[in-house]
Amino acid sequence: MKKLLFSVIASIVLFSCKGPESALCSRHGMMNEGGWFKVQDITPENGTGNVYMISEHNDATCYLVTGSKYAMLIDTGIGVGDLSDLVSSLTDLPLIVVTTHGHPDHIGGNYQFSEVWLPEKDLDVMKSMNPLNNPDLEAYVASYAKDFKYDVEAVKRNIEEIKTYPDYELRLFGPGKSWDLGGKVITTLELGGHTPGSILFLDEADDMVFSGDAMNGYLWMWSDHCLSIEEYEKNLAAVVPELKNFGHIYGGHEFRPQGMESSQAETMLADLHSVLNGEVQPVPTPKPMDGEGTVNVYYFKTWLLWAK
């Protein structure tokens, strides 16, 4: 009987999407509590459609970008909160869900949608770091919630239902992929470093770049799958000319509505040159996340680089 009940629930979830053109379904997250998400409308003056910055409990930042025909969700956060419900409250347009890279705090909510696009080069990273592979999802929620008050029993029930969800369709893409949202086209550039396939999403109509963790003020490149400083410098040099015509860059852990000035890309490139020329020396620092050993941290005026 239990298996039959789960099968019925899964069938309801599978067929309750808005339609074949939308990834937005009735699948929910683990927690649905007020205050878990912070939403800021960062639509520029005279913008095309709307742009929302969605911070999941100050741990990761997603973006919802709308055109006249489609909406695009860029990254799905840590996956604890009910992101799909929040998105449906912000737009009723058919939804396209994309991810900037394969790290768990950016693909954590993928399970809440029927279809998600992922950079092809990050497939192995995503498979090895998918939060849903955690055998204790209740502990996963608690690790992020900290002192946030939530309905523990409701979370337990939601987790049991999440286990019945059918697999979402994972669609792979590479640099040069674009989506027409209606009145605005979102294009892509690859900027490998933080992960091998990290992608920048460019919204030319609104003069915005969404960089995930490929560019931010606190850049981690110390994990085994991260590229070297030399490789990242080469990749950044290739995209800097493409970014000069944009106004603002919005990273995957950004909370400021103005984001970063696009000139930050040139600043970062110059700082990387100083590292490779031996002009800036690293500070050996214990690995984050209770890792053994140390990593090299480079301190610059506007950002930090944690490298191997």
Side-chain angles (χ1 to χ4, degrees):
M1 178 61 74
K2 184 176 181 181
K3 289 184 178 179
L4 177 61
L5 177 60
F6 278 1
S7 177
V8 170
I9 292 173
S11 298
I12 292 173
V13 170
L14 180 60
F15 294 109
S16 59
C17 301
K18 288 188 174 182
E21 295 182 328
S22 179
L24 187 58
C25 293
S26 64
R27 305 179 184 187
H28 58 68
M30 301 179 205
M31 181 189 296
N32 189 357
E33 304 283 345
W36 183 254
F37 290 104
K38 178 181 179 181
V39 179
Q40 298 184 72
D41 186 339
I42 59 171
T43 307
E45 187 176 358
N46 301 319
T48 302
N50 294 302
V51 184
Y52 299 99
M53 175 187 288
I54 303 171
S55 171
E56 183 169 9
H57 200 47
N58 296 322
D59 284 301
T61 304
C62 316
Y63 298 91
L64 181 65
V65 182
T66 72
S68 61
K69 296 181 178 180
Y70 294 94
M72 174 176 280
L73 177 64
I74 302 175
D75 284 342
T76 63
I78 59 179
V80 171
D82 194 346
L83 180 61
S84 63
D85 183 67
L86 174 63
V87 169
S88 66
S89 74
L90 296 172
T91 182
D92 58 2
L93 290 169
L95 184 68
I96 300 166
V97 181
V98 299
T99 50
T100 58
H101 62 293
H103 280 165
D105 52 336
H106 298 269
I107 57 94
N110 283 9
Y111 67 90
Q112 299 178 33
F113 305 94
S114 63
E115 177 183 280
V116 180
W117 291 82
L118 175 83
E120 185 172 12
K121 290 183 181 179
D122 274 12
L123 180 58
D124 289 341
V125 174
M126 190 210 76
K127 286 182 176 179
S128 66
M129 305 182 77
N130 189 339
L132 287 191
N133 293 335
N134 188 325
D136 191 347
L137 287 178
E138 291 177 40
Y140 178 76
V141 173
S143 69
Y144 278 102
K146 303 179 181 68
D147 59 351
F148 186 89
K149 295 182 178 180
Y150 62 97
D151 188 332
V152 176
E153 293 305 315
V155 166
K156 290 180 180 179
R157 292 192 297 271
N158 288 349
I159 288 174
E160 288 306 308
E161 185 171 339
I162 286 166
K163 293 176 181 178
T164 72
Y165 288 173
D167 289 339
Y168 60 88
E169 181 180 359
L170 185 63
R171 305 192 65 178
L172 303 179
F173 73 98
K177 172 67 177 174
S178 64
W179 291 267
D180 187 346
L181 305 185
K184 68 170 67 174
V185 176
I186 305 297
T187 58
T188 55
L189 288 174
E190 186 176 270
L191 180 52
H194 181 66
T195 64
S198 290
I199 291 287
L200 308 178
F201 290 87
L202 281 58
D203 177 357
E204 187 173 351
D206 290 330
D207 208 22
M208 293 174 160
V209 175
F210 304 96
S211 64
D213 287 353
M215 294 177 59
N216 59 39
Y218 195 86
L219 182 57
W220 278 13
M221 284 178 44
W222 57 269
S223 297
D224 291 340
H225 60 257
C226 297
L227 303 188
S228 66
I229 295 177
E230 290 82 1
E231 291 173 297
Y232 180 60
E233 186 272 341
K234 179 181 177 181
N235 294 337
L236 183 59
V239 304
V240 160
E242 303 289 337
L243 302 180
K244 288 183 177 180
N245 295 326
F246 289 85
H248 298 273
I249 300 173
Y250 292 88
H253 298 276
E254 182 62 78
F255 310 111
R256 301 165 298 179
Q258 73 275 16
M260 299 179 287
E261 297 290 334
S262 62
S263 58
Q264 178 68 5
E266 295 177 77
T267 298
M268 291 176 67
L269 185 59
D271 289 337
L272 290 172
H273 288 164
S274 69
V275 169
L276 296 177
N277 292 334
E279 298 168 9
V280 176
Q281 298 302 314
V283 177
T285 306
K287 280 188 177 181
M289 303 169 64
D290 300 321
E292 295 182 359
T294 62
V295 295
N296 291 320
V297 181
Y298 296 86
Y299 290 82
F300 308 110
K301 289 184 179 179
T302 58
W303 65 296
L304 300 179
L305 172 64
W306 291 61
K308 299 175 185 177

